[in-house]
Amino acid sequence: MARVADALAARIAKGDRRAAARLLSYLEDRDPEGQAPYAELYRRSGRAHIVGITGPPGSGKSTLVNALVAGYRNVGRKVAVIAVDPTSPFTGGAILGDRVRMLDHAIDPGVVIRSMASRGSMGGVAPATYQAAVVYDAMGFDIVIVETVGTGQLESDIIRAAHTVVVVTMPGTGDEVQVAKAGLFEIGDIFVVNKADKDGADATRREIETMLSLGQFAHGWRPPVLLTVAVEGKGAADLLAKADAHFAHLKASGMHRTGEVARARHVILQELAENARERGRAALDGVAAGLVAEVASRKKDATTAARELQGLL
Amino acid sequence: MVVAKPGLDGHDRGAKVVARALRDAGMEVIYTGLKVTPEQVVQTALDEDADAIGLSILSGAHMHLVPRLLELLKKAGAADIPVFVGGIIPTADADKLKAMGVAGVYGPGTSTDSIVEDVKRLAGAK
């Protein structure tokens, strides 16, 4: 069993794209088949720069990612893109359409694109997204771009998963308020006003800079606010340069190390919560179904029920 | 499942209707958009670990595009991924496509329910 897992991990590390795709599916399904190969690949990871791109819907994230990928490829870097879209809470299905904006790169061997459905993760980032980034990292991709649903919820998972967080907005929509509410001003490392050819772009940039100046700059990095017109590729080169600069800053300031520690802690807790939820779900469907009935008919409150469930597990 | 419109035709309402029906049936649909090449479709299916590929072709170019795609799948060692084709396909061509290994061919007026049923039955049977 261990032999098979090692073989799969070895094939993936050597660049077998289909094997990697299969492993990512195991990880998304939390299929035990994926555990051993993932563990092996995790040990080989840690080199790639993980860039998170987030922001309200319609701001042009996918188009911007497309332009960024072209920029990285121009300087010979290999890029993995993980594009997360929302799962329908009603049907459990999803339409994952971010790839449409990235057709240029579909057959470039130095680029891989994977779509993921959020599958109910509250942070807007599918639980397996971080694991996918690790796999691509172990395969030798230099950059892993994670593009997330821009619902404005606190994108807590993406901060933890990424080294550099890019927040994308556009002029005139009052996005800055949404961004503030979502706490993105605290977590963004680089801010982008896309569709900057529209009216109000400069005003939006100034508003963001004002909001940023109200906060504190962690560890000497002042987030730049950039203007881009992604559909024309304008500003992408500057964004790439700033992303590189941020990564270099993390390393020079020692923040990279502390970041890894914080990430490790967060991911362990995330796994723990997911495990508990899975076993809880199974129990509520089975032996503890009575608890559900009691809560639904007001005989018991959910807090008490959860404590009892915990005891059962 | 990957849903793609290979070739040059620009009418995507059908593809979008089917994509939505599949989503409503609980599937994750990777919609690649218009004017994709067979090469792009195959690479997408590989990287996304697709359980099935759906092609929408209204241009009449199916006898050129589909065999090319099947050949690319075989070369990539992915001939196990079922391919479904929808659009304007004359019956004689539909028979030829099925003989080549296409899992299902659907002309205009096919109910989305029957497509969803076939896909659920055959996809992921690898």
Side-chain angles (χ1 to χ4, degrees):
Chain A
M1 196 54 157
R3 193 70 70 68
V4 173
D6 283 347
L8 181 60
R11 268 167 51 211
I12 293 174
K14 283 214 193 80
D16 184 335
R17 298 261 289 247
R18 195 168 186 207
R22 197 62 70 76
L23 176 59
L24 261 48
S25 297
Y26 286 144
L27 295 172
E28 276 187 297
D29 294 339
R30 297 185 70 81
D31 188 324
E33 285 289 322
Q35 266 174 35
Y38 177 71
E40 176 55 37
L41 289 166
Y42 183 80
R43 286 192 281 273
R44 302 188 200 207
S45 70
R47 208 183 54 83
H49 180 193
I50 306 178
V51 179
I53 312 255
T54 188
S59 49
K61 294 185 292 293
S62 298
T63 313
L64 188 61
V65 170
N66 188 42
L68 250 191
V69 172
Y72 281 120
R73 290 304 292 141
N74 263 340
V75 294
R77 278 143 83 189
K78 293 170 61 183
V79 188
V81 179
I82 304 167
V84 185
D85 265 326
T87 293
S88 160
F90 304 113
T91 66
I95 299 213
L96 310 173
D98 292 335
R99 288 197 74 113
V100 172
R101 310 261 184 272
M102 301 185 229
L103 276 180
D104 302 338
H105 306 293
I107 49 176
D108 178 346
V111 180
V112 64
I113 302 170
R114 174 80 178 208
S115 311
M116 281 196 167
S118 65
R119 296 196 189 176
S121 157
M122 290 268 285
V125 171
T129 305
Y130 173 68
Q131 294 178 314
V134 166
V135 172
Y136 288 138
D137 178 339
M139 284 177 86
F141 285 92
D142 304 298
I143 313 284
V144 180
I145 297 176
V146 179
E147 184 199 330
T148 70
V149 291
T151 58
Q153 311 292 330
L154 179 60
E155 306 275 10
S156 57
D157 283 350
I158 201 191
I159 322 164
R160 308 304 214 269
H163 297 114
T164 302
V165 178
V166 178
V167 180
V168 185
T169 58
M170 58 175 172
T173 55
D175 279 347
E176 310 80 63
V177 177
Q178 278 204 52
V179 167
K181 279 196 204 163
L184 290 175
F185 280 117
E186 281 88 43
I187 68 162
D189 299 304
I190 299 171
F191 289 81
V192 173
V193 179
N194 190 32
K195 306 195 185 180
D197 49 345
K198 283 180 151 188
D199 281 338
D202 274 319
T204 303
R205 171 160 59 179
R206 269 178 273 125
E207 278 188 52
I208 295 178
E209 280 175 348
T210 305
M211 302 269 341
L212 286 172
S213 65
L214 295 173
Q216 293 162 318
F217 300 133
H219 319 286
W221 174 264
R222 190 197 170 100
V225 186
L226 310 175
L227 295 177
T228 61
V229 184
V231 113
E232 293 167 26
K234 286 204 181 116
D238 197 18
L239 174 56
L240 199 158
K242 294 292 191 287
D244 276 351
H246 183 250
F247 199 43
H249 170 79
L250 287 179
K251 294 204 167 141
S253 65
M255 281 308 297
H256 190 252
R257 187 81 208 108
T258 23
E260 289 295 328
V261 171
R263 186 170 302 117
R265 193 184 148 83
H266 172 78
V267 174
I268 293 172
L269 286 174
Q270 198 176 48
E271 285 291 323
L272 187 66
E274 198 54 47
N275 286 341
R277 198 176 304 140
E278 256 169 35
R279 291 170 62 209
R281 239 182 249 131
L284 288 179
D285 285 340
V287 295
L291 277 177
V292 179
E294 285 184 289
V295 173
S297 59
R298 297 295 205 269
K299 293 216 186 80
K300 188 172 284 172
D301 70 286
T303 310
T304 309
R307 211 176 300 132
E308 286 178 27
L309 184 61
Q310 179 96 26
L312 272 177
L313 292 177
Chain B
M1 172 163 180
V2 172
V3 170
K5 280 198 65 69
L8 297 174
D9 94 75
H11 298 95
D12 58 356
R13 183 172 300 145
K16 284 185 175 161
V17 165
V18 174
R20 280 197 287 268
L22 291 165
R23 176 205 54 199
D24 291 344
M27 294 192 66
E28 290 172 354
V29 179
I30 293 159
Y31 184 74
T32 68
L34 302 167
K35 309 203 178 142
V36 287
T37 64
E39 287 79 3
Q40 287 169 332
V41 177
V42 169
Q43 191 60 50
T44 300
L46 290 177
D47 286 332
E48 302 283 3
D49 192 30
D51 295 310
I53 296 173
L55 303 174
S56 164
I57 307 176
L58 301 169
S59 60
H62 48 274
M63 291 313 291
H64 165 71
L65 294 167
V66 179
R68 172 104 186 101
L69 188 132
L70 291 174
E71 188 195 312
L72 289 171
L73 278 176
K74 205 158 114 196
K75 273 212 194 100
D80 58 318
I81 304 179
V83 177
F84 301 86
V85 180
I88 310 287
I89 320 272
T91 323
D93 287 351
D95 291 336
K96 285 198 198 124
L97 289 176
K98 286 191 203 150
M100 284 182 214
V102 168
V105 181
Y106 309 95
T110 311
S111 78
T112 50
D113 282 346
S114 62
I115 298 176
V116 167
E117 212 181 282
D118 286 352
V119 168
K120 285 190 132 179
R121 197 172 21 99
L122 296 169
K126 45 183 162 110

